[in-house]
Amino acid sequence: MRRLLIVLAILELASGVLQGWFTPLYTDLARHLGVTDAEVNWLGTARSLVSLAAVPVLARLGDAVGHRRMLRVTTVIVAACAWLLPLGGPVVFVGAWAVMGVFASWLPLGVALLALGHAAGATTAAVVQGTGVGRFTDSASASRLSANGGDAAESVAQCRIRVAGSAARTASAARTGRDAGLIVAMLQLGLMASGAVSGALADRWGGDVTRLLVGPAVLLTIGAVATWALPALPVHRARVDVPGALLLTASLLGVGVIPVGFRMWRQAGQPAGAWLMLAGALVAVMTGGALVRVERAGVRPIVDLRGVERALLPVLAVSALFGLAALATRTAISTYARTDPAVHGYGLGLDAGATGLVLTAMGAADVLGSLGAAAASRRGRGTRAMAVGLVAVGVGFLALLVPSDPVAIAGLVVAGLGEGLVVPGLPALAASRVPADRTGMATGASGMCKTIGSLVGSVVFALALSVGQVGTDGSLSGYHTVWTAAGAAGLVGAAVLLRRGARAA
């Protein structure tokens, strides 16, 4: 478990760099690609579409063929695409950027590995403890059990095993939450450090985007190599449900292109956007209906409709709300920080380096939150910690509505602290509510819902920022819409978790 934790920590550090390195650079990327600040949101949309389709399939494939194998495959793909960014033109850049969205499967796959590792240890401990307690009974009890028949003694031992197993599973879930908090702390550390470094380098190199793209490619390659040190863990091997995987991918892509078509229709006035919405809806309905029929008849379905326990539904709802609040706002945070208030009357007016420092402070709070989540999980208070984190996310983004730079920066730091409390807990909580052979399905579903929230939010926020935009800069009313929606999503997520999640637990 120690080696597993170290490798996953390295991988999540690389994931953090992948996500944080570009955050201060979105304005530079927009100029590099020849698009506006609102249009650069398409990068996030494209990556979110790939993540949406890939994460649940890859996580469920991990249940069937091994989570370690899927981690190795996806890290190689992401590292290869990272090297295409500085080497290719704009078309190659956008394509490679989108394919890199498969990195979103790393955390669900990693948490599934942690859950399986701890569960294997818990099962062994339960059997040893239960049989030991059943064996060492006093002589009087043994005589009575013998008089009543040998089955009674066996029943006592089995009862002891069940009791010990229940306690061991609870401890296993707590350890999984603790370790998830530690690897997410490394993810947030990567976010924090990479944002500061890339912002400083952008100022020093005058926004030379090509040179700035080499750094993350190197670290992602190191992360891919590190996955070959992952230890082997028990795998519930099964045949891959290829029809289910194809139907699920098509259905999710159909859902994902609906808001994209809506954005094309409303923002750019392109009639093709309306046709894209219609096509997406038809594909989603047709493939979704076929998916339900195929999966209900399958023995090892890619989406186990019978395995989506009622206790898992609140976790999925909170994941979607969190994706909208935390993930969909990253581009808006960066462009708002770079907007000059002397020209537009709003924004923080920071250069890339200063923006990187603000994001570093936000990332430091994120790391503290992740460590706090690990400590809370160890004490069995993971759900409460997540609720507190969602409230902090909501309050932090609502603080950005106040026309004050110090208040805005403080709000971002508070939101970062909240994100750290929430991120590791969601997949760990999802994994604890399903059987061991559905761990990947549960963590993947949580990641999928988070991506859906992020995708919907990025499209809606891009539309809001484009209404009344001045030149290439987003509008003030658009930013107010972003902060209000993100704040409300955080508060509603906390209410759902406390009302439903705690009850289900």
Side-chain angles (χ1 to χ4, degrees):
M1 292 303 298
R2 185 180 296 109
R3 178 152 55 103
L4 173 62
L5 190 60
I6 291 173
V7 174
L8 291 179
I10 294 173
L11 193 58
E12 289 306 318
L13 178 66
S15 174
V17 170
L18 173 59
Q19 298 174 67
W21 184 270
F22 303 99
T23 305
L25 308 178
Y26 278 115
T27 298
D28 300 306
L29 289 175
R31 305 300 171 264
H32 175 71
L33 298 173
V35 298
T36 66
D37 285 352
E39 290 171 336
V40 80
N41 279 273
W42 280 106
L43 290 177
T45 301
R47 182 174 286 180
S48 294
L49 279 173
V50 173
S51 297
L52 176 63
V55 168
V57 174
L58 293 173
R60 187 57 173 161
L61 286 176
D63 288 335
V65 301
H67 304 89
R68 181 177 66 165
R69 179 178 297 178
M70 298 313 302
L71 272 176
R72 289 174 175 174
V73 170
T74 54
T75 52
V76 169
I77 291 174
V78 171
C81 289
W83 283 109
L84 289 176
L85 295 183
L87 299 178
V91 175
V92 174
F93 183 99
V94 175
W97 179 280
V99 173
M100 289 171 72
V102 299
F103 87 92
S105 65
W106 293 352
L107 185 59
L109 289 169
V111 172
L113 278 173
L114 290 172
L116 288 173
H118 286 303
T123 300
T124 303
V127 171
V128 172
Q129 181 181 354
T131 54
V133 172
R135 184 181 302 119
F136 295 105
T137 56
D138 57 68
S139 58
S141 298
S143 298
R144 288 194 298 269
L145 290 173
S146 298
N148 292 328
D151 290 343
E154 184 179 356
S155 298
V156 170
Q158 291 175 348
C159 180
R160 299 291 188 183
I161 292 174
R162 284 196 297 271
V163 172
S166 177
R169 283 192 296 273
T170 301
S172 172
R175 294 190 190 100
T176 301
R178 176 201 63 195
D179 290 350
L182 294 177
I183 65 172
V184 170
M186 292 300 295
L187 184 153
Q188 304 301 348
L189 182 62
L191 276 167
M192 175 183 64
S194 61
V197 172
S198 65
L201 290 177
D203 289 339
R204 182 175 180 178
W205 292 342
D208 186 351
V209 173
T210 302
R211 294 174 66 185
L212 290 169
L213 296 175
V214 175
V218 172
L219 189 53
L220 288 168
T221 302
I222 295 173
V225 173
T227 59
W228 260 256
L230 284 170
L233 288 173
V235 177
H236 303 277
R237 294 196 179 275
R239 294 181 60 184
V240 177
D241 180 17
V242 176
L246 294 176
L247 288 171
L248 177 61
T249 302
S251 179
L252 291 175
L253 286 175
V255 172
V257 301
I258 292 174
V260 174
F262 179 75
R263 178 178 169 185
M264 293 174 59
W265 175 52
R266 289 294 304 272
Q267 179 180 333
Q270 299 177 4
W275 289 105
L276 185 60
M277 283 192 293
L278 179 60
L282 289 175
V283 170
V285 171
M286 294 174 63
T287 57
L291 177 66
V292 171
R293 291 193 298 272
V294 169
E295 299 305 274
R296 282 181 175 175
V299 178
R300 294 284 298 182
I302 197 76
V303 179
D304 192 349
L305 299 177
R306 295 162 295 185
V308 182
E309 282 82 357
R310 188 175 181 180
L312 187 60
L313 297 180
V315 184
L316 302 183
V318 172
S319 297
L321 290 168
F322 178 74
L324 186 148
L327 303 183
T329 53
R330 288 179 178 171
T331 303
I333 291 172
S334 177
T335 56
Y336 183 77
R338 299 285 297 270
T339 301
D340 190 353
V343 176
H344 303 293
Y346 56 90
L348 300 181
L350 306 177
D351 58 19
T355 300
L357 291 176
V358 171
L359 295 173
T360 299
M362 191 176 179
D366 223 327
V367 172
L368 292 176
S370 298
L371 295 176
S377 295
R378 190 164 53 245
R379 293 175 174 82
R381 300 175 181 174
T383 302
R384 293 182 182 178
M386 281 190 287
V388 171
L390 288 164
V391 171
V393 168
V395 172
F397 280 111
L398 291 176
L400 292 170
L401 296 172
V402 179
S404 168
D405 290 357
V407 173
I409 294 174
L412 290 175
V413 172
V414 170
L417 180 66
E419 290 178 21
L421 287 169
V422 175
V423 171
L426 287 174
L429 184 61
S432 69
R433 299 191 174 187
V434 296
D437 62 341
R438 298 172 187 164
T439 302
M441 182 275 295
T443 57
S446 175
M448 177 190 70
C449 290
K450 188 166 62 174
T451 303
I452 290 175
S454 174
L455 175 62
V456 172
S458 65
V459 172
V460 172
F461 294 163
L463 282 172
L465 290 172
S466 67
V467 176
Q469 69 179 22
V470 181
T472 60
D473 294 290
S475 63
L476 177 60
S477 62
Y479 282 115
H480 282 175
T481 300
V482 173
W483 311 144
T484 302
L491 296 178
V492 171
V496 170
L497 191 63
L498 288 175
R499 182 180 179 86
R500 299 288 182 182
R503 182 183 302 172

